[in-house]
Amino acid sequence: MAGGLVVLTVALLAAVSAVVVTEPAFGSFRAGCVAALAAPPPKRPGRKQPGVLAVWSPDQRANAQSIVDVGRQLGAPIRAQWIALATAMQESMLVNRLGGDRDSVGLFQQRPSQGWGTREQLTNPEFAAQAFYERLLALAGWEAMPLAEAAQAVQRSAFPEAYAKWEQPAADLLAESGNSVDSLVCGIATVAAGAAGVALEFADEQLGKPYQWGATAGVPQMIRV
């Protein structure tokens, strides 16, 4: 009898796993998130291209803090601050550049000719960050967009997918600035409604029942192993 119960439990778990894995049930995943927040990396002298284990200079960190501070002053959600940091990482590596492609300048490489502001204004980190936030927050549905999509909708870059690779470094810097970034981490806090919920409910009801080989009565139709 014990062996039969083990077989039943394994079969039920396999069925539930199949349903859960194939059902896009978790809301945070749709809008983009990071797998985890890395611990502060060790310093690696000579590293020129900050990435997942980025080591930022004091000036770069100061610019990142300016972006976060402006976001807080505007009441921008953590997600908006995350998008802003990742965007500036891609556009300028958090360096307040005095030039760039055509007339692009500053942390976000914004262009005076496109109505972002004057060159002097856009090389002021606080002004540049506020200009970015204002356009992002005015964008309908930005909260539900993947980071790269939201950034691209504001920036209109020639490389729209490039922003995505900065999701983790931006989350790490945001966490280091004292913000809670739990909402940015992918995870299963609750089981979603739908097929996964039905399968788990059925599995729970079968616990402790004697095993009968070949029995199918009461098995939800969506479970196929």
Side-chain angles (χ1 to χ4, degrees), residues 2-12 211 213:
L5 286 174
V6 170
V7 174
L8 175 60
T9 301
V10 171
L12 287 171
Y211 175 71
W213 178 259

Side-chain angles (χ1 to χ4, degrees), residues 11-71:
L12 287 171
L13 288 174
V16 171
S17 297
V19 174
V20 172
V21 168
T22 56
E23 184 181 45
F26 310 106
S28 63
F29 180 78
R30 179 184 179 281
C33 52
V34 291
L37 295 180
K43 291 187 176 181
R44 304 168 78 177
R47 183 163 183 143
K48 297 181 179 179
Q49 295 294 327
V52 174
L53 294 177
V55 177
W56 305 102
S57 72
D59 285 345
Q60 288 170 310
R61 288 180 176 276
N63 287 330
Q65 190 62 54
S66 293
I67 293 171
V68 172
D69 290 344
V70 171

Side-chain angles (χ1 to χ4, degrees), residues 9-139:
T9 301
V10 171
L12 287 171
L13 288 174
V16 171
S17 297
V19 174
V20 172
V21 168
T22 56
E23 184 181 45
F26 310 106
S28 63
F29 180 78
R30 179 184 179 281
C33 52
V34 291
L37 295 180
K43 291 187 176 181
R44 304 168 78 177
R47 183 163 183 143
K48 297 181 179 179
Q49 295 294 327
V52 174
L53 294 177
V55 177
W56 305 102
S57 72
D59 285 345
Q60 288 170 310
R61 288 180 176 276
N63 287 330
Q65 190 62 54
S66 293
I67 293 171
V68 172
D69 290 344
V70 171
R72 288 172 176 166
Q73 293 164 12
L74 295 175
I78 291 298
R79 184 172 186 81
Q81 297 176 37
W82 180 48
I83 295 170
L85 279 177
T87 301
M89 287 175 178
Q90 170 59 27
E91 296 290 355
S92 69
M93 296 293 256
L94 296 176
V95 175
N96 190 21
R97 302 187 184 280
L98 301 180
D101 179 49
R102 287 171 281 190
D103 59 336
S104 300
V105 293
L107 291 176
F108 294 87
Q109 288 291 281
Q110 295 147 326
R111 299 178 60 191
S113 63
Q114 299 302 309
W116 284 95
T118 67
R119 185 176 185 279
E120 290 71 23
Q121 289 173 325
L122 296 175
T123 50
N124 178 305
E126 288 77 19
F127 182 96
Q130 181 169 336
F132 178 85
Y133 282 120
E134 288 175 350
R135 293 204 185 188
L136 174 66
L137 298 176
L139 187 64

